[in-house]
Amino acid sequence: MPSERPEYNVARAAEERASAASAPTPAIGRVHDDLAAMYERMAKQAERELEPAD
């Protein structure tokens, strides 16, 4: 289940980027890059939701 904590998603994105860099094949690397992008989007969304309303 995805976390709504931005810091968790940022950390997961970094882990996926590292996995992409060390992936044994380009196809596997692309999967990790896609996952990293997903976590980055989730982190940004969670940050927007946590911002105080004006």
Side-chain angles (χ1 to χ4, degrees):
M1 172 190 251
S3 174
E4 292 184 15
R5 295 183 334 231
E7 62 275 6
Y8 170 82
N9 293 317
V10 168
R12 288 292 294 133
E15 290 173 11
E16 292 299 338
R17 294 283 180 211
S19 293
S22 63
T25 69
I28 294 171
R30 282 190 298 276
V31 171
H32 285 293
D33 279 332
D34 289 346
L35 287 168
M38 177 194 71
Y39 279 113
E40 288 163 351
R41 284 191 304 273
M42 290 174 21
K44 288 177 184 173
Q45 179 64 33
E47 287 172 355
R48 282 193 294 271
E49 291 173 359
L50 292 175
E51 290 176 357
D54 290 329

